[in-house]
């Protein structure tokens, strides 16, 4: 098979003797928040690390500051000029208190008193966190009296109300949970919103090495170093996230887990896909750590992309110009692919076309602009078996046709699957395409001009099972991710 260029060098393994579970303790939560620029210490320790004073009691001023940061409004607060009636707010806290007061997010304790240095309770702070997530008392979402129980329901606290002191450490842990929580009425987490609002960068997020947070934020960029997972389910989800980002490698640590258990995860993922969807999936490492090697195929890479193109604005292959193109002519980055596919789709379809018209135009484009490469027929290791040869070079064989057609359909917003199988005992590939909610069978290879006296044939264009399958035998066992749909009708 064609060897795809590694998109970045094998991730260096980073080791330490500290607890490397995903942030679960208060110091770990504080470290994550600090890395994201959301939580500051009160100074530095003798060792030069931030002194978070986690056993100290947070003040009202500190709580309001955290609220403003979690709202993503620190820059706005610091840039504004605010008037408040309060005379007891320290200078450092004035922008935060001023902003929160102007937005109706906090009130004073008297006509001119804010009681900035008074201790805040967890009930008060969780009410702040709920507001950061879009909930409000005025909308009837919660009341101050039930803030703790409602916050616990939303995953913000470890309890519904336990007597005892509310420390800066507890504040950090509750704030961390808020980053992983969904905003009111949406599936978007607070961390994803803050990332896209540029409150913190993908680099800062990467520097946390926190797998739980990566998944909550739907990390769209490089995941370098050693990512900490909290369980095997999270290991699986992190590998899938790496595939979504078109990353070749990701190193994940899960102390206490054997390598055999860890290695079963990428093996299980690979078993869900056809052999051409994921190239050379494997893992290496030892107990507690694994580096996965999964090379996502071009058509799966673009399926992920076209499911949500906007997400990839923060993907390294788009914002880093040095990774947009390769010097090697037959290697194409995600950016190269998107530019080429969008160009083809725009030249052959219009937004006003219905799905059937778009499918026909893309079918005709491949037939007119591709030569079936007889010289490579039967040699599954040669390059024309890949979509890139058809899209960029104009020649290929059946599986290249099918994969290229899927890519073009996905680029036009149309769902399409690749089906691998046989015809007359010879390996073959074709498509199923979904038009107006109905699946149809399609074989662009057999409709190409080389098989139709230099004219486009429609003998295998959007056909029913009864017409199509006497000449096509799918490998059901080899294509579990692209299962055969029942196609009773022809278009």
């Amino acid at each position: 098979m064609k060897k795809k260029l590694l998109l970045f060098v094998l991730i260096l393994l980073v080791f330490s003797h500290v607890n490397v579970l995903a942030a679960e303790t208060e110091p770990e939560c504080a470290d994550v928040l600090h890395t994201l620029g959301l939580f500051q210490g009160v100074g530095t320790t003798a060792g030069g690390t931030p002194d978070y004073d986690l056993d100290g009691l947070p003040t009202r001023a500190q709580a309001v500051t955290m609220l403003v940061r979690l709202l993503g409004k620190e820059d706005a607060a610091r840039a504004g000029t605010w008037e408040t009636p309060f005379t007891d707010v320290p200078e450092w806290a004035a922008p935060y208190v001023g902003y929160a007061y102007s937005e109706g997010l906090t009130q004073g304790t008297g006509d001119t008193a804010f009681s900035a240095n008074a201790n805040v309770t967890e009930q008060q702070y969780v009410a702040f966190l709920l507001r950061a997530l879009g909930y409000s008392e005025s909308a009837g979402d919660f009341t101050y009296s039930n803030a703790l129980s409602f916050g616990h329901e939303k995953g913000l606290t470890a309890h519904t109300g336990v007597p005892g002191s509310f420390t800066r450490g507890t504040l950090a842990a509750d704030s961390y949970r808020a980053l992983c929580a969904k905003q009111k009425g949406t599936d978007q987490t607070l961390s994803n919103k803050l990332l896209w609002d540029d409150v913190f960068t993908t680099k800062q997020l990467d520097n946390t090495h926190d797998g739980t947070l990566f998944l909550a934020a739907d990390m769209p960029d490089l995941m370098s170093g050693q990512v900490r997972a909290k369980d095997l389910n999270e290991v699986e989800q992190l590998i899938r996230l790496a595939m979504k980002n078109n990353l070749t490698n990701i190193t994940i640590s899960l102390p206490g887990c054997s390598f055999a258990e860890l290695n079963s995860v990428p093996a299980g993922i690979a078993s869900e896909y056809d052999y051409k969807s994921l190239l050379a999936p494997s893992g290496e490492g030892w107990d507690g750590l694994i580096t996965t090697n999964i090379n996502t195929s071009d058509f799966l890479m673009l399926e992920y992309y076209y499911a949500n193109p906007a997400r990839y604005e923060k993907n390294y292959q788009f914002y880093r110009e040095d990774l947009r193109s390769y010097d090697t002519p037959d290697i194409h980055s995600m950016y190269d692919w998107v530019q080429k596919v969008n160009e083809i789709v725009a030249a052959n379809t219009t937004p006003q076309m219905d799905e059937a018209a778009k499918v026909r135009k893309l079918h005709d484009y491949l037939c007119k602009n591709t030569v079936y490469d007889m010289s490579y027929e039967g040699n599954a290791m040669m390059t024309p078996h890949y979509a890139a040869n058809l899209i960029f070079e104009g020649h290929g064989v059946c599986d290249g046709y099918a994969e290229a057609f899927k890519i073009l359909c996905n680029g036009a917003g149309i769902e399409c699957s690749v089906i691998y199988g046989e015809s007359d005992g010879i390996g073959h590939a074709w498509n199923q395409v979904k038009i107006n909610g109905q699946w149809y069978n399609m074989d662009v290879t057999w409709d190409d001009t080389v098989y139709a006296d230099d004219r486009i044939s429609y003998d295998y264009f959007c056909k029913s099972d009864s017409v199509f399958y006497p000449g096509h035998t799918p490998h059901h066992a080899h294509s579990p991710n692209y299962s055969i749909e029942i196609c009773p009708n022809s278009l």
Side-chain angles (χ1 to χ4, degrees):
M1 291 185 179
K2 176 179 176 181
K3 183 177 180 181
K4 187 177 178 183
L5 183 67
L6 292 179
L7 297 177
F8 61 105
V9 297
L10 185 64
I11 298 170
L12 294 176
L13 304 183
V14 182
F15 301 97
S16 71
H17 296 292
V18 300
N19 182 0
V20 292
L21 288 173
E24 292 179 338
T25 67
E26 292 178 356
E28 290 169 340
C29 292
D31 279 335
V32 168
L33 293 167
H34 182 74
T35 301
L36 297 177
L38 300 174
F39 189 69
Q40 304 301 322
V42 297
T44 56
T45 66
T49 59
D51 179 4
Y52 299 127
D53 187 25
L54 297 181
D55 293 327
L57 304 181
T59 65
R60 281 171 51 84
Q62 292 169 348
V64 168
T65 298
M66 282 299 299
L67 170 63
V68 172
R69 287 173 178 161
L70 291 171
L71 286 168
K73 298 299 182 181
E74 180 169 27
D75 288 344
R78 294 177 67 86
T81 301
W82 315 104
E83 293 186 5
T84 72
F86 310 130
T87 59
D88 61 347
V89 177
E91 183 177 352
W92 69 266
Y96 304 99
V97 174
Y99 177 86
Y101 180 75
S102 71
E103 295 292 318
L105 298 171
T106 190
Q107 300 294 324
T109 58
D111 291 340
T112 61
F114 183 72
S115 300
N117 292 322
N119 296 139
V120 68
T121 66
E122 186 168 22
Q123 186 175 25
Q124 292 168 334
Y125 188 65
V126 169
F128 278 168
L129 293 179
L130 290 168
R131 292 168 196 158
L133 292 170
Y135 298 100
S136 70
E137 295 96 324
S138 61
D141 298 320
F142 70 98
T143 63
Y144 177 71
S145 61
N146 76 352
L148 274 177
S149 59
F150 187 75
H152 181 70
E153 177 186 324
K154 300 302 177 183
L156 304 182
T157 69
H159 53 78
T160 57
V162 177
S165 297
F166 177 56
T167 66
R168 283 172 55 88
T170 312
L171 178 147
D174 289 353
S175 300
Y176 173 86
R177 294 187 187 98
L179 290 177
C180 300
K182 293 179 180 179
Q183 299 179 95
K184 176 186 175 181
T186 76
D187 286 328
Q188 185 185 38
T189 64
L190 181 59
S191 57
N192 183 263
K193 178 182 185 298
L194 296 181
L195 176 65
W196 282 94
D197 287 348
D198 296 318
V199 174
F200 53 79
T201 66
T202 56
K203 181 63 175 176
Q204 286 174 294
L205 183 58
D206 180 44
N207 284 340
T208 68
H209 303 292
D210 189 293
T212 300
L213 199 57
F214 284 4
L215 294 171
D218 188 24
M219 173 63 156
D221 201 5
L222 288 165
M223 294 181 282
S224 59
Q226 186 182 140
V227 182
R228 301 183 300 268
K230 64 182 180 183
D231 54 37
L232 281 173
N233 177 65
E234 199 162 273
V235 171
E236 177 185 346
Q237 296 308 311
L238 286 166
I239 295 171
R240 293 185 187 278
L241 183 61
M243 291 166 55
K244 190 176 178 181
N245 291 349
N246 200 32
L247 301 181
T248 303
N249 308 101
I250 178 174
T251 298
I252 303 172
S253 65
L254 180 57
C257 190
S258 71
F259 177 70
E261 291 175 302
L262 289 169
N263 202 32
S264 68
V265 178
I269 292 173
S271 70
E272 298 177 14
Y273 293 84
D274 185 89
Y275 74 103
K276 285 195 71 182
S277 299
L278 302 176
L279 308 181
S282 64
E284 55 187 64
W286 43 83
D287 290 354
L289 185 141
I290 187 172
T291 296
T292 63
N293 301 283
I294 295 182
N295 204 349
T296 306
S297 68
D298 292 330
F299 67 89
L300 184 57
M301 170 186 73
L302 289 159
E303 178 183 294
Y304 288 137
Y305 173 84
Y306 284 112
N308 183 10
R311 175 186 181 274
Y312 289 83
E313 292 174 12
K314 290 185 182 292
N315 183 278
Y316 65 106
Q317 292 186 76
F318 285 84
Y319 73 78
R320 280 188 55 180
E321 294 185 9
D322 59 318
L323 292 178
R324 287 183 175 180
S325 299
Y326 296 121
D327 293 333
T328 308
D330 62 342
I331 299 296
H332 306 283
S333 70
M334 186 192 296
Y335 179 87
D336 291 334
W337 268 104
V338 169
Q339 300 307 304
K340 184 65 174 179
V341 171
N342 287 351
E343 175 187 315
I344 294 171
V345 171
N348 290 276
T349 69
T350 67
Q352 292 73 35
M353 286 181 178
D354 61 20
E355 290 184 340
K358 290 179 180 179
V359 167
R360 186 180 180 110
K361 282 287 189 180
L362 296 175
H363 166 275
D364 292 357
Y365 171 84
L366 281 182
C367 290
K368 291 176 182 178
N369 293 278
T370 305
V371 174
Y372 187 89
D373 202 332
M374 297 281 192
S375 63
Y376 291 100
E377 190 171 22
N379 189 341
M381 298 303 290
M382 301 307 292
T383 56
H385 287 266
Y386 290 84
N389 301 101
L390 284 88
I391 298 295
F392 291 96
E393 300 171 24
H395 67 102
V397 293
C398 61
D399 44 356
Y401 273 82
E403 293 162 16
F405 183 68
K406 170 181 166 55
I407 289 170
L408 294 181
C409 284
N410 290 166
I414 297 168
E415 191 173 349
C416 184
S417 296
V418 178
I419 309 297
Y420 298 94
E422 294 180 353
S423 176
D424 296 327
I426 299 173
H428 192 46
W430 57 93
N431 297 99
Q432 285 188 336
V433 61
K434 193 174 187 180
I435 301 173
N436 299 325
Q438 173 65 53
W439 285 96
Y440 298 92
N441 298 298
M442 174 88 71
D443 193 331
V444 184
T445 306
W446 285 8
D447 279 347
D448 197 359
T449 55
V450 71
Y451 290 113
D453 299 323
D454 291 328
R455 65 175 177 81
I456 297 175
S457 167
Y458 298 96
D459 291 345
Y460 299 94
F461 179 83
C462 293
K463 297 300 181 181
S464 66
D465 288 351
S466 61
V467 173
F468 196 83
Y469 279 105
H472 296 76
T473 304
H475 290 163
H476 294 279
H478 295 158
S479 301
N481 203 44
Y482 300 112
S483 59
I484 296 297
E485 301 283 344
I486 296 176
C487 304
N489 303 311
S490 295
L491 190 63

